[in-house]
Amino acid sequence: MAEGEFALVSKRLEASLELSGQPVKRGTMAHEHIVNMMIVEGAVISEDLPALEKFVPRLSELADRDRHLPYTAIAQRAQGVMHRLTGAHDEARTALNAALLVFEEAGMDWQAGRTLTELGLLESTRGDQEAAEALYNRAMDIFERIRAKPAFDRARDAMNRLV
């Protein structure tokens, strides 16, 4: 899945990391942690393991440095996906649950729902379809409550793929 639009966006974002900072003609230039977060989020969606391995450590470092809890949790979720893709399921669950806790405590429902969807995918990968279904249902409940239809549809589609 690391093809197409996500690959193109990632290439352009990576190239922007090499640009000098201010001044810019309008607005401000995105800070390094924002660009890294965007690359990481694209890599999570496309399950691009090489990009995750390259950019998650830097996002974690920047988020920790800036004490930016949402970016820390985004990095943790990405680490969970990375671990799932490499078959390290216990580590994946630990990272995803850590991210979920931050998102839930901060009231970041959409992010919590996305993380629950990733946990559902992990449980499905592990073969625990019942646990996966419960996690997808929790995610869909959140997405329905906040009227996030595209996210709801992705969680529902993932649940429908359960065997």
Side-chain angles (χ1 to χ4, degrees), residues 13 21 37 52 72 95 118 152:
L13 287 170
M37 182 274 300
L52 289 168
T72 297
E118 288 296 339
F152 176 92

Side-chain angles (χ1 to χ4, degrees), residues 61-138:
E61 176 186 330
L62 293 168
D64 289 347
R65 178 197 73 193
D66 297 341
R67 295 186 184 108
H68 196 292
L69 285 179
Y71 282 5
T72 297
I74 288 169
Q76 289 169 323
R77 180 174 56 221
Q79 288 168 345
V81 171
M82 215 167 48
H83 289 310
R84 175 180 52 81
L85 293 173
T86 61
H89 296 153
D90 290 340
E91 292 86 349
R93 184 182 294 116
T94 298
L96 290 168
N97 280 324
L100 180 61
L101 182 63
V102 170
F103 292 137
E104 287 177 335
E105 286 181 352
M108 299 176 75
D109 292 337
W110 184 73
Q111 292 287 4
R114 286 193 57 216
T115 307
L116 286 163
T117 303
E118 288 296 339
L119 279 161
L121 183 55
L122 171 64
E123 293 307 323
S124 176
T125 301
R126 292 183 60 251
D128 189 342
Q129 306 310 320
E130 189 175 311
E133 185 175 345
L135 289 159
Y136 290 140
N137 278 318
R138 283 179 61 198

Side-chain angles (χ1 to χ4, degrees), residues 23-63:
V24 293
K25 288 183 182 180
R26 290 185 172 80
T28 62
M29 183 130 177
H31 295 280
E32 183 184 2
H33 61 282
I34 296 169
V35 174
N36 274 279
M37 182 274 300
M38 293 168 67
I39 293 170
V40 165
E41 287 285 73
V44 163
I45 292 167
S46 61
E47 296 186 334
D48 183 349
L49 183 58
L52 289 168
E53 292 172 335
K54 181 176 180 181
F55 291 99
V56 170
R58 182 64 177 150
L59 178 59
S60 293
E61 176 186 330
L62 293 168

